Amino acid sequence: MAPELLELALTHRSWAYEHGGVANNERLEFLGDSILGQAVTVMLYTSYPHLDEGDLAKRRASLVSAVALSEVARGIGLGAHLKLGKGEELTGGRDKSSILADTVEAIIGATYIDLGGEAATTLVLHLIAPLLADPDRFGAAMDPKTSLQELAARRGHGVPIYELSDTGPDHSKRFTATVVLGGESIASGEGTSKKQAEMAAALEAWTVLSARRPSTPSA
């Protein structure tokens, strides 16, 4: 990919604003979102002939969600390469699910512009392959809150509690959700809606809990 196009795909609006309103990655994100949806739709349709329309729609929604795309971004270390403004840098923008997901879409859009549709589709399928290869994680990405609740119940942790906070003006709020299990804060997530923040937090908590060795019940 042309270096200048890749640089544009990595440029968040906060960086562009602080540097005189130069171009940012939002147009590429718009394009990449469409390409991502089409590539995932065709892949699911051809790979899962036994699924009906409703199940296909659920799987597509999960794979193109901000939660899933941010997981993809973290898996390839994308956050380290973002061009962020000082404000976003100070508030942990390099690990914000929404920023990471948008940047993945921008890179898909840039790939389409520079290398064509076939290359962009190949990139999409490569990026989502880790989710498809791990049935547990794929299920968690599809419905992270239910997956976390089921895992917590199996581990004897009780029902997850979501503590919410928000920042910013009414027209541009950002929400943060923290998952609490048995009085312990397990993980946090953020998003542009309460639902998105809770889903991001739930998937992160599921990941943390899955990595822990199950405790041995006391006699």
Side-chain angles (χ1 to χ4, degrees):
M1 185 187 301
E4 62 274 14
L5 197 55
L6 178 59
E7 182 176 0
L8 178 60
L10 295 170
T11 301
H12 187 254
R13 63 176 178 271
S14 61
W15 192 95
Y17 176 78
E18 291 182 7
H19 290 77
V22 298
N24 62 54
N25 63 7
E26 289 181 343
R27 281 176 53 85
L28 288 175
E29 173 201 336
F30 171 79
L31 177 61
D33 176 69
S34 179
I35 296 163
L36 170 69
Q38 181 182 44
V40 168
T41 298
V42 173
M43 181 278 294
L44 290 173
Y45 182 86
T46 56
S47 299
Y48 299 93
H50 60 288
L51 295 182
D52 62 21
E53 184 270 344
D55 287 333
L56 289 171
K58 288 178 182 177
R59 294 200 177 203
R60 177 178 61 191
S62 71
L63 286 171
V64 303
S65 70
V67 173
L69 292 181
S70 63
E71 282 294 292
V72 167
R74 292 185 183 99
I76 61 175
L78 185 60
H81 304 285
L82 302 178
K83 297 182 70 174
L84 299 175
K86 293 178 182 178
E88 285 292 354
E89 191 76 66
L90 291 172
T91 57
R94 294 189 183 278
D95 195 48
K96 286 185 179 179
S97 296
S98 57
I99 292 178
L100 290 171
D102 290 348
T103 305
V104 170
E105 291 179 339
I107 290 173
I108 293 168
T111 301
Y112 178 88
I113 291 294
D114 197 46
L115 302 172
E118 185 175 347
T121 297
T122 299
L123 175 61
V124 169
L125 299 182
H126 174 73
L127 290 174
I128 67 172
L131 281 177
L132 295 171
D134 185 343
D136 288 339
R137 176 160 289 280
F138 183 55
M142 285 183 67
D143 190 352
K145 294 183 72 173
T146 298
S147 296
L148 174 61
Q149 184 170 331
E150 292 173 348
L151 179 59
R154 290 197 300 271
R155 298 284 182 88
H157 293 296
V159 179
I161 297 172
Y162 295 86
E163 297 181 346
L164 283 162
S165 62
D166 61 76
T167 58
D170 289 341
H171 68 276
S172 184
K173 280 190 179 296
R174 300 202 64 82
F175 296 88
T176 299
T178 299
V179 176
V180 179
L181 278 173
E184 178 189 359
S185 297
I186 300 294
S188 296
E190 59 85 30
T192 55
S193 68
K194 294 178 181 178
K195 180 179 178 180
Q196 187 182 90
E198 288 182 352
M199 288 177 63
L203 183 58
E204 180 61 23
W206 180 90
T207 302
V208 171
L209 204 57
S210 296
R212 291 182 178 179
R213 187 185 302 273
S215 58
T216 303
S218 56

